[in-house]
């Protein structure tokens, strides 16, 4: 080629309309800081002003705990909520999302104590604790809020609520008062779950269960009174509760006998448990009384160790249904101060004063100084019941020859879900909410709730069905006080509508800290009209369960509604939290809201849950399915996902023979959209895995989207949307693209509506990777690059690209808002005319014409032909017969019953990216596939069978050497040989063969 020809080729290249866009391949940190407020704070404020209040969607925030750094679990939760809000915004809703924080409770109190070097339970001033806890919580809230906002979560951050705010606390007290007035609040001395590690009572919702807890179990004999050395044999896994023993329970449906042990004497046991007892103690028992008369047994008394006080003598034997023949000896030791079943079974005797509710254990789980062993307090005083206290009891029993056998026993046992330490059951005076009175209304309210997943309904219902009361008092300084007064001498509580109203008014005036800081005898807190002088009363020190705090957060939504009318709908459209909240916030919100409705309007025929939809997400796990923890070293921080995790490098197999270097994934900052795409791509109603592999795929997808937008912006750079071509005049290839787009959009919108974001994310990515990048973009490159700007074919393609660009923005908007805001920034100003910013758009109904049923049926055949042609081309490349796909012509032979007549041959040329295509039919005769694979000089062909999706052979695809000459501009082999020879003697430009289309395009360019 002469220099003149080279210059001509360079000129020809300059006439091509190659995509050009300044859209960057990576987001710059400065740009992220610029786009973030636009697509969060500014967008939220805009929609609150522009969208009608009558069409509001309310997502009520389940408050995170204001304690510690953010982790991927926080990211999963907040981003799920944000994608929900953004998708509903795209549907035309006005969004109401006000973030909140749970600020009271033990973990924050412990942090405050730790920070100042104070020891819990050692007389620390509660006012000082509250001041330190409040300061810690405010710092945690500020830090967490900054993190949430950096993830692109939009909401009313300025109006965020805290459970420690005065207005919140007053609303909480109003709910408590309404429940008290309705008779749902009461105080009782009874056994409750108690956490020695936390030093407070716990509700059932605050328990977890350890499956492999090990107890020191024992077989203990207790002597029957007025008998000739006969003992009742009991089995217990908590020997430390024996100082509180008040009775033995048997089941009158079982048969009891007296069995003689050569070591331990005559023992009363259930006959069905003899084998177990013999195996356990290692000796054969001789039955000396086949059946102990039931009436006689139930009228017998027994005595325990004298060291446990006078209350251990002459104890009754009672019937109880819970006694089983499946374990133990058939006799159960009862300590109503340490057992809920014991307490219930002994109620008649407790009311008569025959037995007492004794619980000689202090707040820290140690035996007390007086009642555990009254005769000699030093025996047990101060000893921790799970350790030396338990062992001392066993030693006492052994010294009195009452310990028949001791052994370790592995079983399921409740633990404090915060400290992970075992709890005890301990009788104390606590405040309770009566759930039994509102259970039916609560369960009825759930019938109208939509659950995601469906299993959440049975889970929440089971918690409500199996709960009769809720222990709402806690022994903490940092919280909302239970507004009760106590008589200093009698201990009688004062909790009435008048007293709560009075106390609330003082809190309004002085602030809630004054409950602790005011002088104990300050009369201002005492409601006038009590039977004793104000100086006789003291304020209580119990605070409310933090679940009562956060459970009343629905009052924030209720604050602008008329409480004089019964609640007629759920207050929020959706609650979304982790699956553990069925026993926590979901339950406390439901119970307090239903209780409030019944308290204000007891005659109302219907009650409603505070949520219309209840959705739960799983936990975050590592690649091996393990929970993330610092001790395991498998924690992945949200910041790592945003920045990209460096892949682990493997050492080479041998120093002598180093392994081939594998190209490393380029790690680069992609901004919060990377974190959001991980969330969106996860099936979040189940446990969610996060690993380097997952992060890598997220980054690859986000890179793919950036490249796709860069291509779209480049190909649309010279397009005016006003010049869009009507669908009916679009080329068939572009109609195929519109059909793909329609199907994708509809599937993605449905997935968003169903909260199945993984289906939306997966659908978008498959469409971009397969239908766009691998199919449509490849097919239209020739048209976009080589056609003149005014050509109808190019305008048709750009019309399709315009629709694709806009719809891709709208589909990705809820997931990757920063990317979409950035694409808008780089959209030409003239292009924006008539278009709304993508994040503010409402998803409009797609044109019905885009969905083509005929194409839907034909597409599998089109894809089968495309695949066969690619296979034949690859065979030709392997034989070094061709390079680019344009250097081939194609003939498609189809059986006559395969109708592709609606696809013009010029469309097949575009789809297959070749120079020429012929589509021919053939009958039943089989074509000679071998004969179609040939090579003779410059002539060659390769053929493959066309196989349908159902596996049927429907034709042949023959790829062959091009029959014309290559165009120097578009590189298609479409130039007639004769024309080329004629032009070769003309000007320098005409030395290079051009097709008619390129000749016209160059002429227009030169004008």
């Amino acid at each position: 080629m002469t220099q003149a020809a080279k210059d001509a080729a360079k000129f020809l290249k300059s006439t091509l309309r190659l995509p050009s866009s300044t859209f960057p391949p990576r987001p710059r940190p400065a740009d992220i800081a610029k786009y973030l407020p636009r697509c969060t704070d500014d967008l939220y404020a805009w929609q609150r002003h522009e969208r009608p209040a009558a069409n509001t969607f309310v997502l009520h925030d389940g408050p995170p705990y204001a304690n510690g750094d953010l982790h991927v679990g926080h990211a999963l939760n907040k981003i799920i909520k944000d994608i929900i809000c953004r998708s509903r915004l795209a549907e035309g809703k006005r969004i109401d999302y006000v973030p909140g924080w749970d600020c009271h409770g033990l973990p924050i109190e412990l942090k405050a104590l730790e920070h100042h070097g104070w020891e819990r339970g050692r007389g620390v001033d509660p006012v000082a604790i509250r001041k330190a806890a409040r300061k810690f919580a405010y710092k945690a809230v500020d830090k967490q809020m900054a993190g949430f906002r950096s993830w692109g979560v939009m909401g009313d951050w300025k109006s965020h609520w805290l459970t420690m705010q005065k207005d919140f606390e007053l609303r909480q007290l109003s709910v408590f008062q309404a429940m008290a007035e309705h008779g749902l609040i009461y105080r009782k001395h009874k056994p409750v779950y108690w956490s020695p590690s936390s030093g407070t009572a716990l509700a059932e919702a605050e328990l977890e269960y350890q499956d492999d807890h090990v107890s020191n179990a024992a077989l203990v004999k207790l002597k029957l009174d007025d008998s000739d050395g006969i003992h009742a044999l009991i089995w217990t896994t908590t020997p430390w509760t024996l100082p509180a023993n008040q009775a033995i329970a048997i089941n009158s449906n079982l048969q009891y006998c007296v069995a003689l042990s050569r070591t331990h004497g005559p023992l009363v046991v259930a006959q069905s448990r003899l084998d177990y007892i013999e195996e356990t103690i290692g000796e054969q028992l001789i039955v000396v009384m086949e059946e102990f008369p039931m009436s006689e047994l139930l009228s017998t008394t027994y005595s325990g160790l004298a060291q446990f006080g006078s209350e251990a003598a002459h104890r009754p034997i009672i019937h109880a249904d819970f006694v089983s023949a499946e374990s133990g000896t058939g006799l159960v030791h009862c300590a109503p101060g340490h057992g809920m079943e014991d307490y219930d079974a002994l109620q008649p005797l407790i009311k008569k004063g025959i037995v007492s509710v004794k619980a000689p254990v202090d707040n820290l789980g140690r035996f007390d100084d007086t009642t555990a062993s009254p005769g000699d307090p030093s025996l047990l005083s101060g000893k921790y019941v799970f350790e030396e206290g338990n062992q001392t009891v066993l030693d006492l029993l052994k010294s009195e020859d009452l310990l028949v056998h001791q052994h370790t026993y592995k079983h399921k046992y409740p633990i404090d879900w915060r400290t992970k330490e075992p709890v005890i059951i301990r009788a104390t005076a606590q405040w309770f909410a009566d759930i039994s009175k509102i259970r039916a209304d609560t369960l009825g309210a759930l019938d109208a709730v939509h659950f995601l997943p469906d299993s959440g309904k049975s889970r929440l219902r089971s918690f409500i069905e199996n709960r009769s009361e809720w222990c709402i008092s806690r022994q903490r300084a940092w919280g909302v006080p239970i507004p009760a007064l106590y008589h200093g001498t009698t201990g009688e509580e004062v909790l009435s509508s008048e007293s709560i109203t009075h106390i609330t008014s003082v809190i309004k005036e002085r602030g809630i800290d004054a409950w602790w800081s005011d002088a104990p005898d300050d009369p201002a807190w005492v409601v006038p009209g009590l039977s004793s002088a104000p100086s006789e009363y003291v304020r209580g020190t119990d605070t409310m369960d933090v679940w009562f705090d956060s459970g009343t957060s629905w009052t924030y939504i209720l604050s602008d509604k008329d409480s004089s009318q019964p609640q007629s709908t759920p207050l929020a459209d959706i609650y979304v939290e982790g699956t553990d909240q069925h026993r926590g916030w979901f339950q406390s919100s439901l119970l307090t809201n239903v209780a409030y409705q019944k308290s204000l309007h007891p005659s109302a025929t219907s009650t409603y849950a505070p949520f219309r939809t209840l959705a739960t997400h799983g936990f975050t796990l590592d690649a091996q399915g393990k929970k993330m923890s610092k001790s395991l070293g498998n924690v992945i921080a949200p910041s790592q996902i945003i920045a990209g995790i460096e892949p682990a490098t493997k050492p080479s197999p041998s120093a002598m023979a180093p392994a081939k270097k594998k190209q490393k994934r380029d790690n680069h900052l992609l901004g919060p959209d990377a974190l959001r795409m991980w969330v969106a791509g996860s099936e979040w109603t189940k446990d969610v895995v996060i690993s380097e592999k997952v992060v890598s795929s997220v980054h690859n997808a986000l890179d793919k989207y950036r490249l796709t937008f860069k291509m779209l912006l480049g190909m649309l750079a010279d397009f005016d949307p006003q010049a869009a071509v009507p669908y009916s005049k679009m080329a068939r290839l572009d109609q195929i693209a519109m059909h793909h787009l329609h199907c994708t959009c509809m599937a993605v919108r449905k997935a968003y509506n169903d909260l199945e974001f993984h289906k939306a994310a997966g659908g978008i990515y498959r469409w971009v990777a397969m239908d766009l990048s691998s199919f449509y973009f490849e097919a239209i490159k020739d048209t976009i690059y080589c056609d003149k700007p005014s050509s109808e074919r190019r305008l048709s393609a750009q019309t399709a690209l315009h629709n694709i660009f806009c719809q891709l923005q709208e589909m990705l908007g809820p997931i990757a808002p920063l990317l979409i805001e950035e694409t808008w920034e780089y959209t030409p100003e003239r292009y924006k005319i008539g278009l709304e910013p993508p994040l503010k758009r409402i998803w409009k109904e797609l044109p019905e014409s885009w969905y083509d049923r005929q194409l839907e049926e034909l597409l599998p055949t089109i894809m089968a032909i495309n695949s066969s042609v690619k296979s034949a081309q690859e065979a030709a490349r392997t034989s070094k017969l061709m390079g680019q796909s344009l250097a081939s012509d194609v003939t498609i032979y189809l059986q006559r019953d395969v109708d592709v007549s609606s696809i013009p041959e010029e469309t097949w040329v575009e789809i297959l990216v070749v120079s020429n295509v012929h589509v021919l039919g053939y009958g039943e005769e089989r074509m000679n596939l071998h004969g179609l694979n040939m090579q003779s000089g410059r002539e060659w062909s390769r053929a493959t069978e066309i196989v349908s999706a159902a596996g049927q052979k429907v034709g042949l695809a023959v790829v062959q050497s091009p029959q014309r000459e290559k165009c120097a501009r578009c590189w298609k082999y479409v130039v007639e040989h004769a024309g080329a020879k004629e032009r070769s003697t003309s000007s320098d430009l005409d030395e290079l063969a051009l097709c008619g289309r390129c000749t016209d395009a160059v002429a227009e360019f030169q004008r």
Side-chain angles (χ1 to χ4, degrees):
M1 183 184 290
T2 65
Q3 183 60 44
K6 290 180 181 179
D7 291 341
K10 187 175 181 181
F11 167 72
L12 287 179
K13 185 176 181 180
S14 72
T15 68
L16 296 174
R17 312 294 296 187
L18 299 177
S20 177
S21 171
T22 57
F23 188 77
R26 307 280 184 268
R28 294 182 282 262
D31 288 341
I32 291 174
K34 178 172 66 173
Y35 303 136
L36 193 60
R38 288 189 199 171
C39 63
T40 55
D41 298 347
D42 295 351
L43 178 62
Y44 188 86
W46 169 85
Q47 60 93 29
R48 294 293 292 177
H49 183 265
E50 297 295 328
R51 296 283 171 87
N55 193 25
T56 297
F57 176 85
V58 180
L59 191 155
H60 185 51
D61 197 23
Y65 201 64
N67 178 31
D69 296 329
L70 298 179
H71 49 72
V72 288
H74 288 106
L76 180 68
N77 178 272
K78 286 297 184 199
I79 293 172
I80 287 170
K81 293 174 182 176
D82 192 62
I83 295 175
I84 292 172
C85 287
R86 289 179 183 274
S87 61
R88 295 302 183 260
L89 181 67
E91 290 172 356
K93 300 282 187 181
R94 178 180 189 253
I95 304 303
D96 186 339
Y97 173 61
V98 184
W101 272 267
D102 197 351
C103 302
H104 289 135
L106 183 66
I108 292 175
E109 185 171 323
L110 292 177
K111 287 283 187 182
L113 290 168
E114 179 186 334
H115 179 74
H116 290 278
W118 300 331
E119 190 174 346
R120 181 174 174 80
R122 298 297 181 185
V124 183
D125 178 17
V127 177
I129 293 175
R130 290 178 63 81
K131 182 178 179 181
R134 190 181 301 276
K135 184 177 180 181
F136 176 87
Y138 271 125
K139 283 186 176 179
V141 167
D142 288 344
K143 187 176 181 180
Q144 289 185 4
M145 189 189 304
F148 292 148
R149 298 179 80 168
S150 74
W151 298 340
V153 177
M154 70 170 188
D156 191 352
W157 295 101
K158 290 182 180 178
S159 301
H160 70 273
W161 52 269
L162 311 174
T163 58
M164 64 182 178
Q165 288 170 334
K166 185 176 181 179
D167 60 336
F168 188 100
E169 293 169 332
L170 290 172
R171 290 196 303 271
Q172 179 178 334
L173 285 168
S174 72
V175 174
F176 179 89
Q177 180 170 358
M179 292 173 65
E181 290 171 349
H182 195 58
L184 297 177
I185 305 295
Y186 59 89
R187 187 171 186 254
K188 201 169 185 179
H189 185 271
K190 63 172 292 183
V192 295
Y193 291 108
W194 187 276
S195 172
S197 55
S198 296
T200 185
L202 299 179
E204 290 180 44
E206 296 172 294
L207 300 178
E208 289 180 352
Y209 285 86
Q210 182 179 328
D211 291 327
D212 57 355
H213 178 81
V214 177
S215 294
N216 284 315
L219 288 168
V220 178
K221 61 182 185 179
L222 299 170
K223 186 177 181 301
L224 300 185
D225 298 328
D226 304 323
S227 70
D228 189 15
I230 300 176
H231 290 73
L233 185 65
I234 63 99
W235 176 71
T236 179
T237 59
T238 55
W240 62 266
T241 62
L242 283 167
N245 173 263
Q246 292 291 292
I248 289 177
I250 63 173
N251 192 319
S252 57
N253 295 315
L254 301 180
Q255 182 176 324
Y256 292 85
C257 66
V258 178
L260 182 63
S261 162
R262 65 177 181 272
T263 308
H264 306 289
L267 305 172
V268 178
V269 297
Q271 195 166 52
S272 59
R273 300 302 297 165
L274 281 172
D275 290 344
Y276 160 76
I277 297 166
E278 289 177 339
E279 182 182 349
T280 302
I281 67 176
E283 67 170 278
Q284 186 127 10
L285 301 178
I286 301 170
V287 176
V288 295
M289 182 188 290
E290 284 288 343
E291 183 172 1
F292 201 122
M294 187 57 61
S295 59
E296 186 178 334
L297 186 56
L298 288 172
S299 63
T300 302
T301 60
Y302 69 95
S303 294
L305 276 176
Q307 291 92 326
F308 297 155
S310 59
E311 288 187 340
H314 311 302
R315 297 293 85 203
I317 296 176
I318 67 162
H319 161 79
D321 290 334
F322 64 75
V323 178
S324 165
E326 303 302 318
S327 63
T329 66
L331 295 92
V332 176
H333 117 76
C334 292
H338 292 300
M340 295 173 183
E341 286 183 318
D342 303 357
Y343 177 83
D344 291 336
L346 288 167
Q347 274 302 299
L349 299 182
I350 292 171
K351 290 176 181 177
K352 292 177 182 178
I354 297 173
V355 301
S356 63
V357 184
K358 183 181 178 183
V361 179
D362 67 14
N363 291 357
L364 299 179
R366 303 170 304 193
F367 283 117
D368 64 21
D369 297 335
T370 55
T371 61
S373 51
D376 184 3
S378 64
L379 281 175
L380 293 172
S381 177
K383 295 181 177 179
Y384 185 48
V385 297
F386 284 115
E387 295 171 358
E388 65 270 25
N390 204 53
Q391 189 57 50
T392 301
V393 171
L394 289 170
D395 291 343
L396 283 171
L397 292 168
K398 189 173 183 180
S399 68
E400 297 292 334
D401 197 27
L402 298 178
L403 183 62
V404 174
H405 189 269
Q406 73 175 90
H407 54 277
T408 58
Y409 178 68
K410 187 181 289 188
H411 61 124
K412 191 175 183 179
Y413 194 84
I415 60 173
D416 183 330
W417 77 333
R418 289 192 177 90
T419 65
K420 310 303 179 186
E421 295 293 327
V423 303
I424 61 175
I425 295 175
R426 176 185 178 227
T428 58
Q430 300 290 342
W431 289 95
F432 297 88
D434 190 345
I435 304 304
S436 63
K437 288 185 178 180
I438 60 168
R439 185 188 291 121
D441 291 298
T442 305
L443 293 172
L446 287 180
D447 290 339
V449 175
H450 171 61
F451 285 84
L452 185 68
D454 292 337
S455 58
K457 184 171 186 176
S458 59
R459 182 171 166 81
L460 184 54
R461 283 187 68 91
S462 68
F463 280 120
I464 303 299
E465 287 168 344
N466 296 312
R467 194 173 192 180
S468 60
E469 59 187 8
W470 171 11
C471 180
I472 61 170
S473 52
R474 296 291 181 272
Q475 289 62 55
R476 296 167 181 156
W478 179 229
V480 176
I482 290 181
L485 303 172
Y486 300 90
H487 193 279
T489 304
T490 66
E492 183 182 358
E493 68 270 8
V494 177
L495 188 79
S496 64
S497 177
E498 294 76 17
S499 69
I500 299 174
T501 299
H502 180 81
I503 289 169
T504 302
S505 67
V506 179
I507 290 174
K508 286 180 181 178
E509 179 187 342
R510 300 185 179 186
I512 207 159
D513 286 342
W515 182 262
W516 286 270
S517 62
D518 283 359
D521 59 351
D522 190 331
W525 293 95
V526 182
V527 61
L530 297 182
S531 58
S532 300
S535 59
E536 295 291 318
Y537 294 93
V538 294
R539 299 186 297 279
T541 57
D542 290 341
T543 56
M544 292 189 206
D545 178 9
V546 291
W547 291 119
F548 198 98
D549 292 15
S550 58
T552 58
S553 61
W554 48 263
T555 58
Y556 187 91
I557 313 171
L558 194 66
S559 59
D560 59 352
K561 299 183 185 295
D562 182 9
S563 62
S564 66
Q565 297 297 318
Q567 185 177 315
S568 58
T569 60
L571 299 173
D573 288 285
I574 192 169
Y575 277 29
V576 185
E577 295 303 324
T579 185
D580 56 333
Q581 294 307 315
H582 286 113
R583 67 177 183 182
W585 185 62
F586 293 155
Q587 191 179 165
S588 65
S589 298
L590 176 65
L591 292 171
T592 55
N593 186 229
V594 171
Y596 188 72
Q597 293 175 64
K598 296 303 294 181
S599 299
L600 293 188
H601 305 284
S603 61
T605 56
S606 298
T607 52
Y608 296 86
F611 34 76
R612 182 171 281 106
T613 296
L614 191 67
T616 53
H617 61 75
F619 298 106
T620 52
L621 307 175
D622 69 7
Q624 284 70 46
K626 296 178 182 177
K627 278 189 175 183
M628 293 192 171
S629 68
K630 291 181 181 178
S631 61
L632 292 176
N634 62 351
V635 173
I636 295 177
S639 58
Q640 289 177 274
I641 302 173
I642 290 171
I645 302 173
E646 194 73 30
T649 55
K650 295 182 179 179
S652 60
S654 158
M656 298 295 292
K660 290 183 179 180
K661 285 187 179 179
K662 188 177 180 181
Q663 190 172 2
K664 223 176 171 185
R665 176 170 62 83
D666 174 30
N667 287 283
H668 48 270
L669 178 74
L670 283 178
D673 283 342
L675 185 63
R676 299 174 64 90
M677 283 189 62
W678 161 67
V679 173
S682 305
E683 193 171 352
W684 55 267
T685 58
K686 302 176 181 178
D687 288 341
V688 176
V689 171
I690 180 68
S691 65
E692 190 278 330
K693 183 178 179 182
V694 172
V695 174
S696 176
S697 65
V698 165
H699 276 236
N700 290 339
L702 199 46
D703 282 339
K704 182 74 172 177
Y705 292 143
R706 295 192 69 86
L707 179 60
T708 300
F709 275 120
K710 186 176 180 68
M711 287 286 294
L712 285 166
L713 285 166
M715 290 188 286
L716 290 167
D718 59 355
F719 179 66
D720 180 358
Q722 301 299 316
V725 175
Y727 176 84
S728 59
K729 294 185 178 180
M730 291 176 77
R732 197 59 170 148
L733 175 63
D734 303 327
Q735 289 179 346
I736 292 174
M738 290 300 91
H739 179 81
H740 280 146
L741 178 61
H742 185 281
C743 293
T744 303
C745 283
M746 295 302 290
V748 167
R749 290 182 184 184
K750 183 181 186 303
Y752 276 127
N753 186 261
D754 295 341
L755 307 185
E756 295 181 317
F757 306 140
H758 65 289
K759 290 185 178 179
I764 296 169
Y765 185 76
R766 282 190 296 275
W767 171 67
V768 167
M770 298 173 66
D771 296 339
L772 280 188
S773 296
S774 298
F775 180 74
Y776 186 62
F777 282 1
E778 286 298 313
I780 61 165
K781 277 182 181 177
D782 174 71
T783 297
I784 297 296
Y785 296 3
C786 301
D787 275 23
K788 57 185 179 183
S790 60
S791 81
E792 290 184 5
R793 178 68 196 89
R794 191 170 189 272
L795 286 173
S796 171
Q798 286 185 307
T799 299
L801 290 170
H802 166 67
N803 291 327
I804 289 167
F805 177 64
C806 292
Q807 293 300 325
L808 180 56
Q809 284 181 319
E810 293 176 20
M811 285 190 284
L812 274 177
I815 297 173
L818 277 86
L819 171 61
I820 302 310
E821 185 64 33
E822 189 178 7
T823 64
W824 184 248
E825 174 82 3
Y826 282 87
T827 301
E829 288 301 319
R830 58 177 177 73
Y831 191 87
K832 293 180 180 179
I833 298 172
L835 285 177
E836 228 184 345
L839 298 179
K840 295 180 180 180
R841 292 178 203 154
I842 296 175
W843 289 339
K844 296 177 182 176
E845 191 171 343
L846 300 174
E848 290 183 8
S849 57
W850 288 6
Y851 181 80
D852 188 324
R853 189 169 297 279
Q854 184 185 33
L855 274 180
E856 180 73 16
E857 295 172 355
L858 199 54
L859 276 172
T861 302
I862 293 173
M863 295 308 164
I865 293 171
N866 190 29
S867 177
S868 296
V869 168
K870 294 291 187 287
S871 178
Q873 288 175 330
E874 197 55 41
R877 287 191 186 95
T878 301
S879 301
K880 298 183 179 180
L881 299 175
M882 62 171 283
Q884 292 179 330
S885 62
L886 287 174
S888 64
D889 291 349
V890 171
T891 302
I892 300 168
Y893 297 94
L894 294 174
Q895 292 179 0
R896 290 197 176 95
D897 59 347
V898 180
D899 183 11
V900 294
S901 59
S902 63
I903 308 297
E905 287 192 348
E906 59 265 27
T907 301
W908 283 112
V909 168
E910 294 175 325
I911 290 172
L912 302 176
V913 196
V914 294
S915 289
N916 289 285
V917 175
H918 295 292
V919 180
L920 304 173
Y922 71 94
E924 295 299 322
E925 71 276 6
R926 279 189 64 83
M927 299 188 67
N928 185 353
L929 185 64
H930 179 73
L932 293 173
N933 290 310
M934 54 78 66
Q935 181 178 357
S936 176
R938 297 180 63 181
E939 302 291 319
W940 56 266
S941 65
R942 291 291 182 272
T944 57
E945 291 178 324
I946 300 170
V947 182
S948 71
Q952 295 177 326
K953 296 174 183 177
V954 296
L956 292 173
V958 181
V959 176
Q960 56 208 36
S961 52
Q963 302 303 302
R964 297 173 185 168
E965 192 173 333
K966 181 179 180 180
C967 172
R969 182 171 177 269
C970 69
W971 294 4
K972 275 188 172 183
Y973 289 76
V974 290
V975 179
E976 297 293 342
H977 291 285
K981 288 178 182 177
E982 289 172 7
R983 288 195 297 274
S984 64
T985 58
S986 184
S987 67
D988 293 334
L989 181 59
D990 287 339
E991 279 189 46
L992 304 176
L994 292 181
C995 63
R997 175 187 62 160
C998 287
T999 300
D1000 293 342
V1002 170
E1004 183 172 297
F1005 179 83
Q1006 290 176 318
R1007 282 200 290 269

